[in-house]
Amino acid sequence: SGQWAQSSQTSVAASTGAPVVRPGAMSDGVAEVSSSSTAAAAKVASVVPSSEEEMISRHLAKQRAKRKSRSKRLQFQFLFKSAAFLVMLAVVLITKYATEWYEGYKAAQNGTAIVEPVESDPVPQFIKDQKEGEL
């Protein structure tokens, strides 16, 4: 709470233009005056616009900055979501491939697995059953 009190005293002094005396800065009865108070007072004076045109131009500049930051934020959000989707897709596909490979590997290691004989005749059965001349 001491830090808050010190910062509030600084802001009050800066707004009034009074010099700020830092606590514990007294040495030999002479107070050290903070140079930041004069800089803060100058900053407060420079923030106040002198005309309506300056107010409008500053407001428009703030609008442009907000719009630009919102656009960048949406761009990075889209990029992050796209990258997360691609990573998850890769995980799913790799898992699927590994599962299929492991099932084939496990079946090959099984000595009781029934292996179907491969026919050497490339002619399908429905053509063999068909009599010549019939459709």
Side-chain angles (χ1 to χ4, degrees):
S1 105
Q3 184 180 15
W4 180 81
Q6 182 181 3
S7 66
S8 66
Q9 288 171 356
T10 305
S11 64
V12 169
S15 63
T16 60
V20 177
V21 177
R22 286 183 270 146
M26 301 277 283
S27 61
D28 298 331
V30 178
E32 292 181 20
V33 177
S34 172
S35 63
S36 65
S37 64
T38 55
K43 184 176 182 182
V44 169
S46 69
V47 172
V48 178
S50 62
S51 69
E52 286 185 32
E53 292 175 7
E54 278 187 38
M55 285 178 38
I56 292 172
S57 65
R58 286 186 182 181
H59 179 70
L60 291 176
K62 285 181 182 179
Q63 274 186 337
R64 282 191 300 270
K66 283 182 182 179
R67 198 174 302 128
K68 185 177 179 180
S69 96
R70 187 181 314 129
S71 172
K72 273 290 186 197
R73 187 173 59 243
L74 288 173
Q75 183 181 7
F76 282 119
Q77 185 178 18
F78 176 76
L79 182 68
F80 175 77
K81 287 183 177 183
S82 299
F85 172 76
L86 290 175
V87 167
M88 290 304 295
L89 181 66
V91 167
V92 167
L93 291 176
I94 290 170
T95 304
K96 182 180 176 184
Y97 178 77
T99 304
E100 288 176 4
W101 174 83
Y102 185 71
E103 288 173 358
Y105 174 77
K106 201 173 181 183
Q109 296 299 318
N110 190 359
T112 60
I114 301 172
V115 179
E116 295 181 18
V118 178
E119 292 183 21
S120 61
D121 192 17
V123 179
Q125 187 65 30
F126 72 91
I127 293 179
K128 290 180 184 178
D129 293 340
Q130 189 178 26
K131 294 181 183 176
E132 196 168 317
E134 289 184 7
L135 290 176

